[in-house]
Amino acid sequence: MTNSSRPDIVVTGIGLVTPVGQELDQIFDALCGGRSGIVATPEGHPAQGSLEVMGKGPDIDAADVLPGPESRTLDRYIVHALVAAEQAMADADLVVGRDVDPYRAATVVSGTGGLATLESQVVTRTQQGRFGVSPYLLPGMLPNMATARIAIKYDLRGYSSSIGTACAAGAQSIAEGMRILRNNEADVVLVGCGEAPLFPTLADTFHNTRALARGWAKDPTSASRPFDKRRNGLVLAEGAGVFVLERAADADARGRAAYATLHGWGATTDAHHPTTPRPDGDAQAESMRRALADAGLGPADIGYLNAHATSTKMGDVAESTAIGRVFAGAMPAVSSNKGVTGHMLGASGVIEAAATALAVGHGLLPPTVNLDEPDPACDLDHIRGKARQNPIDFALSNSFGFGGHNVSLVLGRPTTRLSRFAE
């Protein structure tokens, strides 16, 4: 039984930018149908020579998002986040000033920051000297600027923040939004993450640590293969996701249908190594236990688990071990979306939470693509080959980041009067 002593937090708007599109139904269809967004690195792309394959997002002109000279140094991660926020606001039919007091509207949109823009300006300074550096560099690349520019655009004057927990940042932004609403610090929170890691220096550091999938240039759609015996690394990808969160009672008052209710969250730290997970999965398991406890649920209540699984040797095994520790005797169906999308770093957590919400809403659980031969060390109830039709009430989504940051979210059917899904 879920915790009834506090308000339900619901998702009333979703905006996504991914390698398989921007429309929510299109993205979910790709996940369920196994239509990959991973491609061989295009000729002329800045990361050519550094990445064999990638999950490339849609081409979006920064000048269309932010007209004027600032657009020339507006990092792609901010562009993605602004586009996702615009979609989410429209999807929620939310107008600040009409539906919510500006000082009761909060923003938590995260990301690694505009490292590609910083790199390009370092090159410019080297070539042209100090006066070649753009005066718009800082507002175009700082990791808080997605939140700041979204707040400016929509007049969101309440609490704002940007979370720097690497690949867990998107999920942790959602958790922070839940905390803000539960504590009545705001009435609406925009939460999410934008990432744009497809540039040479970041790609090269992943390559040099042997974290990237390799040898798949002629078969790019097979490169990302979570839990599979042939997996040999992750596929870097770009994208963004933004949710509009509010209390169910407030959504009901303005007649808005919800996608899902966020019932619980948990967070822990491995305290083990800067880049590799704790092999015994102990801290990841505790993150899931805390999310279940926060939701007032037990392991047997979870019908689907959307895994962080990035297609790395150690990471997939550690997460499988953690899942086994929590769900022994009550194993839910498990899949990872990254076989289709690649790894969008912190943005993956938001996009995967959206996929989890749709899986619960439709009773359709997407498979892990390219899972041809499951690794025996990843002994789970894998969804393979095709989507699994299975009505469920609750699901859990994991996001784990460099530094040992672990975040787990529990989602369920919307508890608003109106639902985005036909009964």
Side-chain angles (χ1 to χ4, degrees):
M1 184 173 180
T2 58
N3 193 325
S4 59
S5 63
R6 62 192 179 210
D8 285 346
I9 309 304
V10 296
V11 182
T12 54
I14 298 177
L16 305 179
V17 176
T18 81
V20 290
Q22 295 175 243
E23 297 296 327
L24 194 57
D25 290 342
Q26 174 190 25
I27 294 165
F28 192 64
D29 286 347
L31 294 174
C32 290
R35 180 175 60 80
S36 177
I38 297 171
V39 299
T41 300
E43 190 77 25
H45 190 281
Q48 186 181 17
S50 296
L51 290 174
E52 292 182 15
V53 296
M54 62 170 60
K56 184 179 179 299
D59 292 324
I60 303 170
D61 189 342
D64 294 336
V65 177
L66 185 71
E70 286 187 88
S71 66
R72 292 197 290 271
T73 51
L74 190 68
D75 193 85
R76 193 166 167 82
Y77 102 90
I78 300 174
V79 173
H80 288 158
L82 282 166
V83 170
E86 182 176 17
Q87 294 172 352
M89 291 288 284
D91 191 35
D93 189 25
L94 181 69
V95 178
V96 177
R98 182 193 72 184
D99 302 310
V100 61
D101 183 325
Y103 288 104
R104 297 285 295 172
T107 326
V108 186
V109 179
S110 304
T112 305
L115 299 180
T117 296
L118 176 60
E119 179 178 69
S120 70
Q121 288 290 295
V122 169
V123 172
T124 298
R125 186 182 187 281
T126 301
Q127 294 171 343
Q128 301 179 19
R130 62 184 297 190
F131 294 108
V133 177
S134 171
Y136 300 113
L137 172 59
L138 291 179
M141 56 75 61
L142 289 174
N144 68 310
M145 279 297 156
T147 275
R149 289 191 179 278
I150 290 168
I152 291 166
K153 182 173 182 179
Y154 298 104
D155 196 27
L156 310 174
R157 303 186 197 179
Y159 175 95
S160 68
S161 182
S162 176
I163 292 172
T165 49
C167 304
Q172 193 159 349
S173 297
I174 295 172
E176 177 71 348
M178 294 172 65
R179 185 198 64 77
I180 291 166
L181 289 166
R182 285 176 176 177
N183 290 346
N184 197 28
E185 297 170 22
D187 296 324
V188 168
V189 190
L190 264 69
V191 298
C193 187
E195 299 282 16
L198 305 181
F199 67 97
T201 300
L202 190 63
D204 290 340
T205 191
F206 273 99
H207 176 272
N208 293 343
T209 59
R210 300 186 66 79
L212 295 179
R214 52 202 177 277
W216 301 99
K218 294 183 179 180
D219 188 15
T221 61
S222 298
S224 183
R225 38 197 325 111
F227 302 122
D228 188 76
K229 283 183 71 174
R230 295 171 61 207
R231 71 190 186 280
N232 64 3
L234 61 86
V235 173
L236 274 179
E238 60 185 358
V242 172
F243 287 0
V244 174
L245 303 184
E246 51 191 310
R247 288 178 286 272
D250 293 333
D252 284 340
R254 63 188 196 90
R256 299 308 303 164
Y259 288 100
T261 295
L262 294 164
H263 288 286
W265 66 276
T268 60
T269 306
D270 279 359
H272 170 69
H273 189 273
T275 58
T276 60
R278 184 178 285 278
D280 61 9
D282 184 67
Q284 294 180 1
E286 180 63 18
S287 175
M288 289 182 264
R289 291 191 192 100
R290 290 184 179 191
L292 291 171
D294 188 45
L297 298 172
D301 295 311
I302 301 299
Y304 170 60
L305 191 150
N306 189 298
H308 177 69
T310 63
S311 188
T312 63
K313 288 290 186 184
M314 288 189 291
D316 291 7
V317 172
E319 183 173 11
S320 297
T321 301
I323 293 169
R325 293 178 67 159
V326 176
F327 293 97
M331 183 65 68
V334 177
S335 70
S336 168
N337 300 148
K338 293 184 178 74
V340 168
T341 64
H343 190 11
M344 295 169 281
L345 307 183
S348 285
V350 186
I351 292 157
E352 289 161 8
T356 303
L358 267 64
V360 175
H362 290 300
L364 186 64
L365 315 182
T368 301
V369 172
N370 298 321
L371 184 50
D372 300 331
E373 187 177 2
D375 184 341
C378 302
D379 185 17
L380 304 169
D381 179 12
H382 294 291
I383 306 170
R384 298 172 57 199
K386 63 179 182 179
R388 186 182 297 182
Q389 197 81 43
N390 186 17
I392 60 173
D393 293 318
F394 303 102
L396 186 146
S397 180
N398 281 333
S399 294
F400 306 139
F402 273 5
H405 304 290
N406 308 310
V407 178
S408 302
L409 304 171
V410 174
L411 299 90
R413 297 178 182 276
T415 50
T416 44
R417 285 197 298 267
L418 301 175
S419 169
R420 295 290 187 132
F421 307 99
E423 295 295 333

